[in-house]
Amino acid sequence: MRRKLAAGNWKMNGTGAALSELDLLAAKHPSPSLDILICPPAPLLHRAASAVENTSVSVGGQDCHADASGAHTGDISAEMLKDAGASAVILGHSERRVDHGERNEDVRAKARTVMDAGLQAIICVGESLEQRDVANTLDIIGGQLSGSIPDQSTGENLVVAYEPIWAIGTGKVPTLEEIGEVHDFIRARLERRFGEGVGRSVRLLYGGSVKPGNATEIFGVSNVDGALVGGASLKAEDFSGIIQALESI
Ligand code: PEP
């Protein structure tokens, strides 16, 4: 059985005042039947980790450098994120792939460092609208999976998030059939590469305009083990509605 995961990505939002949302979130879910993760901006990570200490909420990073240390001004290593309290790191988010030119091999190198540090890599994949329109979504996803996921992956150190680029922050959501087709495809690819045991143990998240109002139907789709949530993770009340929907499945 895969434990469900509700992961929030605050992106470049929030200063110290936003930490109160973590207190509220933890208070709303003292003993959930699933994992709850919030990835705040890096400067908040250490304070966020302290705020959620001894609660059901974990914290993670939004990106890291592929090297363990060195002359990389402005960058952050996986070890630094771990030291600040992170248990997971989002990698290959489309905003990194598109805005910062990250290629599959960059994501894979980062994922190796994250896994070597004992953290969980949440590797994002997803197609653009143009790619979906010419009907090669599964080719794109297949290439991202084989290029971005390192060989050392297991059900413990890897989570895959399917995030269609056109659904992120737009209010647009694929049909349930479309979500199911991609999640089943990702599961089959993981089983083929890593064997049934590992392939079936990796959690698959859907991300892209998940809200309390649409979460229940999305979580009912096969091979959807939770969500990676942007906008609706910023307020404890909204994220809590998504957590409740996931718990009720
Ligand atoms: C995201 O950026 O990972 C995301 C899913 O954003 P939103 O929920 O706001 O669409």
Side-chain angles (χ1 to χ4, degrees), residues 173-223:
V173 179
T175 65
L176 301 182
E177 290 71 26
E178 287 167 338
I179 295 173
E181 180 189 32
V182 176
H183 278 244
D184 290 350
F185 172 79
I186 295 173
R187 176 73 63 213
R189 280 298 172 100
L190 292 173
E191 287 181 19
R192 194 173 82 183
R193 178 166 167 197
F194 295 103
E196 277 189 6
V198 170
R200 284 189 189 166
S201 63
V202 174
R203 292 180 289 184
L204 308 185
L205 308 182
Y206 168 76
S209 298
V210 178
K211 309 276 179 243
N214 62 16
T216 303
E217 57 177 17
I218 292 172
F219 294 146
V221 175
S222 80
N223 280 312

Side-chain angles (χ1 to χ4, degrees), residues 13-14 19 34 54 111 119 142 153 162-163 168 188 191 204 213 215 220 224 245:
N13 295 295
L19 294 171
L34 43 68
N54 299 320
L119 302 177
S153 300
Y162 169 52
E163 299 208 309
I168 294 178
E191 287 181 19
L204 308 185
V224 173

Side-chain angles (χ1 to χ4, degrees), residues 27-201:
K28 281 173 181 284
H29 301 278
S31 48
S33 60
L34 43 68
D35 293 336
I36 303 173
L37 175 77
I38 293 288
C39 300
L44 279 185
L45 188 58
H46 191 255
R47 287 161 74 190
S50 301
V52 299
E53 201 173 357
N54 299 320
T55 75
S56 58
V57 180
S58 303
V59 294
Q62 299 177 9
D63 178 46
C64 70
H65 196 279
D67 290 351
S69 62
H72 302 293
T73 302
D75 279 316
I76 301 170
S77 74
E79 283 291 349
M80 291 171 184
L81 294 173
K82 182 180 181 182
D83 185 54
S87 60
V89 186
I90 299 169
L91 295 172
H93 190 284
S94 61
E95 286 151 18
R96 302 291 316 174
R97 291 180 186 262
V98 174
D99 300 350
H100 299 268
E102 286 189 11
R103 301 157 304 167
N104 289 328
E105 55 263 44
D106 301 318
V107 178
R108 185 196 279 242
K110 291 178 179 202
R112 277 198 215 105
T113 335
V114 163
M115 292 172 180
D116 288 346
L119 302 177
Q120 204 164 55
I122 302 176
I123 297 183
C124 303
V125 297
E127 82 286 0
S128 66
L129 201 52
E130 295 72 32
Q131 289 163 335
R132 178 162 280 277
D133 283 347
V134 295
N136 64 356
T137 297
L138 297 185
D139 288 345
I140 297 295
I141 303 295
Q144 290 174 336
L145 292 173
S146 55
S148 308
I149 296 178
D151 291 335
Q152 72 209 79
S153 300
T154 68
E156 283 75 48
N157 65 17
L158 175 69
V159 173
V160 176
Y162 169 52
E163 299 208 309
I165 298 172
W166 51 276
I168 294 178
T170 60
K172 293 184 188 143
V173 179
T175 65
L176 301 182
E177 290 71 26
E178 287 167 338
I179 295 173
E181 180 189 32
V182 176
H183 278 244
D184 290 350
F185 172 79
I186 295 173
R187 176 73 63 213
R189 280 298 172 100
L190 292 173
E191 287 181 19
R192 194 173 82 183
R193 178 166 167 197
F194 295 103
E196 277 189 6
V198 170
R200 284 189 189 166
S201 63

